Amino acid sequence: MLPETYINEVEKRLRRAGRPREMVIDVMLEVQQFYGWFSDEALEQTARLLNMNPLEIEELATFYNYIYRQPVGKYVIHVCDSVICWMTEGYASFVEHMQEKLGIQMGQTTDDGMFTLLPVCCLGYCDLAPALMINQTVYGRLTAEKFDQIIEDFRREK
């Protein structure tokens, strides 16, 4: 359950907004940040906050790549899966390396709950391919060695 202080703050912002429904993605992301993912409970609470039908929220949640309808790791790795990345020399072996390094396939989360690996249509960093984004930070011109270093840095922060 969302804390009452959080609910009050969101309701205050929604009252000030000219069109509260335009804040739906922001509210969904905030609620997801609280829970770690966008559960059915989070969906229902968001619908109540915005005075929307839960189906409307579900439609947005399943459309938007950064709303997670199932549990994810602490660090979500969005791997650019665009045609530009595919054409980048070494892309396929780079993706294989990531999966081997983490011990998971695309769409899975590591056993320790630290990393989830997800494909994303495009990150908009074609000039830096291959690229990925970890929790809103984009990394480009990646190699297996750079990826390994990034992962080790995150593991040390744990």
Side-chain angles (χ1 to χ4, degrees):
M1 192 71 170
L2 293 169
E4 194 65 34
T5 54
Y6 172 77
I7 292 171
N8 292 338
E9 179 58 36
V10 171
E11 287 174 342
K12 207 181 300 179
R13 283 189 291 148
L14 291 171
R15 281 192 298 273
R16 286 189 303 241
R19 295 185 179 106
R21 285 176 161 238
E22 291 178 1
M23 294 179 62
V24 65
I25 298 297
D26 294 333
V27 173
M28 290 169 71
L29 288 169
E30 288 177 26
V31 171
Q32 174 176 274
Q33 187 173 13
F34 177 80
Y35 286 109
W37 62 292
F38 202 67
S39 65
D40 289 343
E41 179 183 356
L43 186 145
E44 293 289 333
Q45 289 177 326
T46 302
R48 280 193 301 276
L49 278 169
L50 292 161
N51 197 27
M52 291 175 70
N53 183 310
L55 181 58
E56 293 173 299
I57 303 296
E58 176 69 15
E59 288 170 343
L60 289 167
T62 56
F63 173 78
Y64 194 59
N65 284 331
Y66 302 103
I67 300 294
Y68 312 120
R69 289 294 283 136
Q70 51 188 299
V72 292
K74 180 178 180 180
Y75 303 106
V76 179
I77 303 170
H78 288 273
V79 181
C80 190
D81 194 32
S82 72
V83 70
I84 299 298
C85 282
W86 296 344
M87 293 174 16
T88 302
E89 185 177 339
Y91 175 77
S93 61
F94 175 69
V95 171
E96 280 181 35
H97 175 79
M98 286 190 303
Q99 293 176 130
E100 287 174 17
K101 172 76 176 172
L102 296 171
I104 58 175
Q105 298 296 305
M106 286 289 179
Q108 296 180 333
T109 300
T110 57
D111 289 338
D112 62 5
M114 282 199 64
F115 301 100
T116 297
L117 197 55
L118 297 174
V120 66
C121 181
C122 183
L123 291 172
Y125 282 75
C126 298
D127 58 326
L128 300 176
L132 57 80
M133 182 171 68
I134 303 175
N135 293 14
Q136 309 306 315
T137 301
V138 178
Y139 301 85
R141 293 196 178 99
L142 291 167
T143 63
E145 295 77 24
K146 286 182 183 178
F147 179 77
D148 291 353
Q149 186 61 55
I150 291 166
I151 294 304
E152 292 312 312
D153 290 347
F154 276 107
R155 288 195 187 281
R156 270 194 291 277
E157 286 179 18
K158 179 183 177 184

